[in-house]
Amino acid sequence: MKIKLTSVYVDDQDKALRFYTEVLGFAKKADFSQGPFRWLTVASPEEPNGTELQLALNNNPAATAYQQAMFQQSQPAAMFFTDDIKGDYERIKSLGAEFTMPPTDVTGSTIAMLNDTCGNLIQLTQLARW
Amino acid sequence: MTDREQYTPGAATGAQVRKGGENWTLILARELRHSPEKVWQALTDPAQLHEWAPFDADVSLGTAGSTVKLTTVGAPTPHVTETTVTRADAPKVLEYKWGGNDMRWELEALDGGTRLTLWTSINRRFIAMGAAGWHICLDVLDHLLSGTPLGRTVGPEAMKFLGFQRLHAEYDKQFGVDSPGRPK
């Protein structure tokens, strides 16, 4: 048993694909459709066969309610790990993304939080080196 | 029983597209050796839809004004959409939506059989994929009505199928599109 996939709900899959590839820098992995259903995933170019992130449409009331509640409580919908949070912060910010928290030292790590424009907060984490 | 392993979809024929905007219209026509009444049942009855269609319906699609939940079959995560049947003139015209996709079925009597035409709106990037999927579904429907069922072939299961990729490529070429998800 392996963890190969995790999901975030998004309000618009085309917009999400643009943000997660052009701004965050991930690469599209799977994109197929059956009727109204669209299976869309991205992966990290640093780990093309690593865990995929599904950009799932929030088109059911439970998904929308969950997404809004998480956002209002400033809870990230997903967390990505980086070895260079300052560099990623500058790069992503220069591409127009809005950070709700700049890189901030907390116990054992440095974290930052950004708005993915699709209804979510995303946390970037760099673990402190021991 | 016909063995599905022996089934090979025919060439990509009988389809047209109307281009314009993000959503194009796919028009897929097929002549069936079954009466319009029999085909109508297969298009509306949940038990029969379960044997060939890419979605399950919780109640019949055959009554105008009724609300029907459609569950996309084979989606990796549960996917249910609700529709209102906007037109149900048995056994001639049936209209509803599958998610955001308009669905219109026309049945014309033809020498004891039926000329069945599907009109459906599909995002242009997925229109060749949709054409290949519906092509196989209509083959499965035809076999079902002939009493030689192939078994429902939809979703990821259909895509693994060799004939699907070939059909997808052929429809890509016919429609002059390049689909993003198709393995080259």
Side-chain angles (χ1 to χ4, degrees):
Chain A
M1 203 157 73
K2 294 172 181 174
I3 299 174
K4 295 290 282 179
L5 180 91
T6 184
S7 301
V8 289
Y9 288 116
V10 297
D11 59 5
D12 179 323
Q13 288 178 303
D14 284 328
K15 186 177 70 177
L17 182 60
R18 282 197 301 276
F19 187 86
Y20 280 78
T21 57
E22 293 169 18
V23 179
L24 293 184
F26 295 132
K28 185 166 80 173
K29 178 88 178 187
D31 189 1
F32 68 80
S33 170
Q34 174 159 274
F37 176 80
R38 182 178 181 190
W39 179 257
L40 178 65
T41 72
V42 294
S44 167
E46 295 168 38
E47 212 179 18
N49 294 315
T51 304
E52 289 174 54
L53 178 71
Q54 184 202 3
L55 305 175
L57 192 60
N58 67 353
N59 64 345
N60 72 73
T64 316
Y66 169 78
Q67 195 188 23
Q68 286 172 355
M70 292 290 280
F71 190 89
Q72 280 160 13
Q73 293 174 39
S74 302
Q75 294 296 312
M79 199 187 290
F80 305 129
F81 285 74
T82 172
D83 293 327
D84 179 13
I85 195 163
K86 297 260 169 17
D88 280 330
Y89 169 74
E90 293 301 337
R91 176 178 63 83
I92 292 166
K93 204 178 157 191
S94 74
L95 292 167
E98 177 214 341
F99 274 80
T100 59
M101 184 202 293
T104 304
D105 289 332
V106 296
T107 310
S109 59
T110 305
I111 62 172
M113 193 94 83
L114 64 97
N115 184 329
D116 78 348
T117 72
C118 301
N120 306 299
L121 294 172
I122 298 295
Q123 183 173 318
L124 304 184
T125 299
Q126 181 174 8
L127 295 177
R129 296 192 182 278
W130 301 96
Chain B
M1 283 287 273
T2 307
D3 190 345
R4 190 185 336 160
E5 285 166 18
Q6 288 170 13
Y7 158 70
T8 308
T13 54
Q16 295 173 52
V17 285
R18 288 199 181 156
K19 302 181 180 184
E22 275 296 292
N23 284 323
W24 292 1
T25 302
L26 170 70
I27 306 159
L28 204 54
R30 187 70 68 94
E31 287 176 12
L32 301 168
R33 291 158 299 163
H34 313 284
S35 68
E37 290 75 15
K38 194 173 168 185
V39 175
W40 180 265
Q41 285 302 317
L43 296 180
T44 54
D45 172 33
Q48 291 190 54
L49 286 166
H50 187 72
E51 299 298 319
W52 69 273
F55 48 76
D56 278 323
D58 65 337
V59 294
S60 170
L61 282 165
T63 311
S66 63
T67 302
V68 185
K69 280 197 177 84
L70 300 180
T71 304
T72 300
V73 177
T77 49
H79 192 263
V80 184
T81 54
E82 205 171 74
T83 184
T84 301
V85 179
T86 45
R87 195 163 166 196
D89 304 336
K92 288 179 181 157
V93 182
L94 178 65
E95 289 180 1
Y96 55 92
K97 275 176 184 272
W98 181 23
N101 303 62
D102 291 318
M103 299 284 298
R104 175 185 169 88
W105 297 96
E106 279 183 16
L107 298 77
E108 291 168 73
L110 184 84
D111 295 332
T114 303
R115 181 174 171 81
L116 177 66
T117 309
L118 166 66
W119 304 60
T120 181
S121 60
I122 304 182
N123 186 286
R124 61 186 171 80
R125 286 165 306 176
F126 298 113
I127 198 153
M129 190 184 287
W134 281 112
H135 179 120
I136 291 173
C137 282
L138 294 183
D139 282 351
V140 172
L141 169 65
D142 197 7
H143 278 265
L144 176 72
L145 294 177
S146 302
T148 54
L150 293 169
R152 193 191 224 181
T153 309
V154 296
E157 204 188 331
M159 293 193 186
K160 274 187 258 166
F161 195 54
L162 212 59
F164 181 91
Q165 301 301 343
R166 195 205 73 229
L167 273 177
H168 191 176
E170 288 175 11
Y171 281 120
D172 261 349
K173 205 172 162 188
Q174 280 187 22
F175 303 160
V177 292
D178 188 20
S179 302
R182 182 167 64 81
K184 304 289 185 224

